[in-house]
Amino acid sequence: MLTRKQLELLDFIQKRMDHDGVPPSFDEMKEALDLRSKSGIHRLITALEERGFIRRLAHRARAIEIVKLPESMERARAAAAAEPPAFTPRVIEGDRVAPPAGAMPVELLHSLEVPVMGRIAAGVPIEAISEVSHHIAVPGSMLSGRGQHYALEVKGDSMIEAGINDGDIVVIREQSTAENGDIVVALVEGAEATLKRFRRKGGMIALEAANPAYETRMLPDHAVKVQGRLVGLIRSY
């Protein structure tokens, strides 16, 4: 008969050797069994050796060989070996930048094509865009609500703190109104298009950047025409 501590130590050694191919150190055994000193481990090792469960090999560090196991441990080991191994996902670290909270993954199923209308400035406004350059497939779930949708390639870095980077594709739902805080495509004075956060302040419209390097533009209500609201983002890595 083995004591509880002797069984615990034998079980710990056996599992460690199955996993790593080498026995644990005395410090590791002490910590695993929550003992205060290594002298207790020495006593347990000696007891296991005297009972014929382990063998210590001379002149070799951490040299312990398991000779036999109690029947209960043998049965448990055989049962564990018969079970299929549990699936453990592996995470591969890389330098991929985390997508913004509002970004949605592109799915091949249930995707729809929307026209890409060229480039939109997330910085200094550029000339308004009205011609289709090509089409791009986007997830159907990204096309929220009714109405027409289109896409634009972002140029500039004024919206980086909103997770929108230079070169990203933004998906826009065509609409002429916006709520405070919406990110919109705004046509400024009928000639310049820009991607900014929309806020109405009295009779003025604030077009806010999401980058402290850019100032908020304050324009009269009549000088700003909302052409659509951001509903999705596609990033290329």
Side-chain angles (χ1 to χ4, degrees):
M1 283 286 291
L2 296 179
T3 66
R4 181 174 59 84
K5 283 294 184 184
Q6 290 167 357
L7 280 171
E8 286 181 11
L9 180 59
L10 185 60
D11 183 60
F12 178 65
I13 295 171
Q14 176 256 313
K15 288 180 178 177
R16 187 63 173 272
M17 292 183 70
D18 283 350
H19 186 271
D20 297 337
V22 294
S25 67
F26 274 42
D27 285 326
E28 291 169 335
M29 296 180 202
K30 178 173 69 71
E31 291 180 8
L33 270 67
D34 196 24
L35 297 179
R36 294 185 178 180
S37 68
K38 287 189 284 187
S39 62
I41 295 296
H42 280 284
R43 287 193 294 271
L44 292 172
I45 288 288
T46 299
L48 290 173
E49 187 175 27
E50 289 174 349
R51 287 162 175 77
F53 288 98
I54 65 171
R55 180 187 301 123
R56 282 185 285 189
L57 306 179
H59 310 299
R60 290 175 59 185
R62 297 173 68 167
I64 296 175
E65 179 184 14
I66 293 180
V67 178
K68 65 178 181 178
L69 295 172
E71 289 186 7
S72 59
M73 290 179 61
E74 287 284 11
R75 288 194 299 269
R77 191 180 186 191
E83 295 179 357
F87 171 72
T88 303
R90 296 180 60 198
V91 178
I92 300 175
E93 299 293 341
D95 58 358
R96 176 173 176 172
V97 179
M104 300 179 67
V106 177
E107 300 172 1
L108 295 180
L109 295 178
H110 311 298
S111 64
L112 299 172
E113 286 198 346
V114 299
V116 179
M117 306 294 290
R119 307 182 78 185
I120 182 72
V124 179
I126 58 177
E127 185 177 353
I129 298 169
S130 60
E131 293 186 1
V132 176
S133 63
H134 61 284
H135 287 74
I136 188 170
V138 303
S141 57
M142 191 180 287
L143 307 182
S144 60
R146 297 182 178 180
Q148 299 296 316
H149 292 77
Y150 59 93
L152 295 165
E153 181 185 350
V154 175
K155 176 179 171 62
D157 61 357
S158 75
M159 298 301 289
I160 56 173
E161 291 190 2
I164 303 172
N165 299 332
D166 183 56
D168 287 349
I169 298 291
V170 289
V171 180
I172 307 295
R173 184 175 70 190
E174 190 173 348
Q175 60 186 65
S176 58
T177 60
E179 301 291 332
N180 281 345
D182 286 347
I183 296 177
V184 303
V185 173
L187 184 64
V188 179
E189 296 179 344
E192 299 172 333
T194 189
L195 185 72
K196 292 291 185 292
R197 196 175 296 279
F198 175 96
R199 296 194 190 279
R200 186 181 298 277
K201 299 182 178 181
M204 302 291 286
I205 300 296
L207 297 178
E208 298 177 351
N211 183 336
Y214 294 83
E215 294 183 357
T216 297
R217 296 189 68 189
M218 298 295 299
L219 297 159
D221 182 276
H222 64 81
V224 177
K225 181 180 179 182
V226 174
Q227 293 190 316
R229 180 174 68 86
L230 175 73
V231 296
L233 181 143
I234 300 171
R235 174 159 298 157
S236 297
Y237 292 94

